[in-house]
Amino acid sequence: QVQLGESGGGLVQAGGSLRLSCAASGRTFSRYAMGWFRQAPGKEREFVAGIGWTGSPTYYADSVKGRFTISRVHAKNTVILQMNSLKPDDTAVYYCVGDEGGISGATTQPTYWGQGTQVTVSS
């Protein structure tokens, strides 16, 4: 079975930082792209960031580029999303995702999804 587990969400003031982590079970994910989607209240889920199975390439949504950084610890099947300069508009449930074909702005529906972790940014 494939499982994705997120951690690190919480409440933070605008301008603050949070670090999200996602661990994938099984050796299958050693060659899977991983990344993050998010869903804000009343809106559709949207792409946030993605990273290839080798650690490159990386992709970012325009709304987070320059503020968020995605990285991967390949040996641990773990992906990290460092979020800096957070804004109230970043408030959403963040989902760790995985897909054999890649995670980018062109990805409409990744194959594997975590349960999500809530990120709330106060003004």
Side-chain angles (χ1 to χ4, degrees), residues 61-96:
D62 288 342
S63 60
V64 306
K65 197 169 188 177
R67 300 187 298 118
F68 292 9
T69 302
I70 190 169
S71 60
R72 186 167 187 164
V73 183
H74 184 71
K76 299 174 68 174
N77 285 341
T78 299
V79 64
I80 306 296
L81 186 68
Q82 178 66 46
M83 305 186 294
N84 298 326
S85 301
L86 282 162
K87 305 174 181 179
D89 286 348
D90 295 318
T91 295
V93 177
Y94 283 71
Y95 297 91
C96 180

Side-chain angles (χ1 to χ4, degrees), residues 11-88:
L11 175 65
V12 66
Q13 297 178 8
S17 298
L18 284 173
R19 188 180 185 91
L20 305 184
S21 297
C22 174
S25 66
R27 292 184 178 272
T28 299
F29 272 86
S30 65
R31 292 193 177 189
Y32 273 50
M34 298 179 68
W36 298 87
F37 275 57
R38 69 185 182 187
Q39 186 170 25
K43 296 187 177 182
E44 298 294 322
R45 281 176 285 187
E46 64 177 358
F47 165 78
V48 177
I51 188 166
W53 66 270
T54 63
S56 65
T58 57
Y59 302 94
Y60 296 94
D62 288 342
S63 60
V64 306
K65 197 169 188 177
R67 300 187 298 118
F68 292 9
T69 302
I70 190 169
S71 60
R72 186 167 187 164
V73 183
H74 184 71
K76 299 174 68 174
N77 285 341
T78 299
V79 64
I80 306 296
L81 186 68
Q82 178 66 46
M83 305 186 294
N84 298 326
S85 301
L86 282 162
K87 305 174 181 179

Side-chain angles (χ1 to χ4, degrees), residues 105-122:
T107 305
T108 58
Q109 187 69 28
T111 302
Y112 300 104
W113 294 75
Q115 292 295 308
T117 185
Q118 177 71 49
V119 172
T120 302
V121 184
S122 62

